[in-house]
Amino acid sequence: MVKFRTKFNSESTASLNRAQIKKFLWIYVILSLMLVVFGISKFLAEVITESEIITGVILIALGIALIPVLLLMTKAAQKKIDNSMSILSENTEEIFSFDTDKIYIETVKGEQYKSYVEASYSYLYKVVENEDSYFLYISKMQCHVIAKKYLVEGNLFELNDILKCYFSNVKTSGNTITYYNDGKK
């Protein structure tokens, strides 16, 4: 058995946010570079008018500011979502246990909230592993986040072997491994 004892706090949502941003960062970079290139192209015309200079400066400034602004907006939106979830706190403990045939998830927030899930691995849509965490997707939009540093029993190799048994479709990209549920088990 492999077991993690974590807190369901803003660290979990921040970890998920970082992973999602990494997936789409290349789009932000391309848009940013396009704005900068369009801005620079305004200065390469044979005859440069005052309006082209202003347009070029604005496009370059937007291109440079795009990524930080998008990241700040994402962080602000996540903070607003975090504040709306009463279960999200330092007092909420989650225990994830992985057995050879079942997953057990226990969530407790004092006397206010107690939840227990016992499920087969088919409960999961996919599992994504990066250098810091496991993301257990139960749908395209819902996910449990488990930071590897909270491992209390077993080891990561044992967990990966269990996942490989239930997710035959495994893809690796850099430091990320994705286990897809093909619905066969």
Side-chain angles (χ1 to χ4, degrees):
M1 179 171 287
V2 179
K3 188 181 282 190
F4 296 84
R5 186 178 299 268
T6 71
K7 299 283 185 187
F8 184 53
N9 56 21
S10 58
E11 179 184 340
S12 296
T13 59
S15 181
L16 181 58
N17 230 10
R18 280 190 304 275
Q20 296 294 35
I21 286 172
K22 282 183 183 177
K23 284 173 38 177
F24 297 106
L25 190 59
W26 64 273
I27 294 172
Y28 297 160
V29 170
I30 289 172
L31 287 173
S32 182
L33 288 174
M34 285 175 54
L35 287 170
V36 170
V37 167
F38 288 145
I40 291 171
S41 72
K42 294 295 183 182
F43 293 102
L44 299 178
E46 284 188 32
V47 178
I48 301 173
T49 65
E50 186 177 334
S51 68
E52 287 176 324
I53 292 173
I54 292 170
T55 304
V57 169
I58 290 171
L59 287 172
I60 292 170
L62 285 174
I64 292 170
L66 181 67
I67 292 174
V69 167
L70 288 174
L71 294 176
L72 287 172
M73 286 174 45
T74 303
K75 192 170 187 170
Q78 188 59 55
K79 188 169 185 156
K80 187 174 182 176
I81 292 168
D82 287 355
N83 289 338
S84 72
M85 289 191 289
S86 62
I87 191 171
L88 190 75
S89 79
E90 289 297 320
N91 299 327
T92 305
E93 181 179 65
E94 288 186 304
I95 301 167
F96 295 90
S97 303
F98 298 85
D99 207 344
T100 55
D101 62 343
K102 298 246 187 217
I103 304 164
Y104 306 92
I105 304 169
E106 185 176 355
T107 306
V108 178
K109 182 179 180 183
E111 293 298 317
Q112 298 170 318
Y113 181 86
K114 293 180 183 181
S115 169
Y116 181 78
V117 173
E118 177 180 325
S120 68
Y121 285 90
S122 62
Y123 164 72
L124 300 175
Y125 170 70
K126 71 179 177 181
V127 177
V128 177
E129 176 191 1
N130 69 16
E131 60 275 359
D132 302 321
S133 304
Y134 286 92
F135 302 92
L136 310 177
Y137 285 87
I138 59 175
S139 73
K140 288 184 178 186
M141 299 297 292
Q142 296 174 302
C143 157
H144 298 285
V145 179
I146 307 171
K148 290 179 179 179
K149 67 183 180 182
Y150 295 116
L151 180 70
V152 294
E153 185 179 320
N155 62 59
L156 299 178
F157 297 112
E158 187 178 348
L159 176 55
N160 289 345
D161 286 343
I162 292 170
L163 293 173
K164 286 175 189 171
C165 286
Y166 290 95
F167 300 93
S168 58
N169 190 358
V170 179
K171 294 189 177 163
T172 303
S173 175
N175 291 335
T176 303
I177 301 171
T178 304
Y179 302 86
Y180 293 97
N181 186 345
D182 56 12
K184 291 181 182 174
K185 294 191 180 189

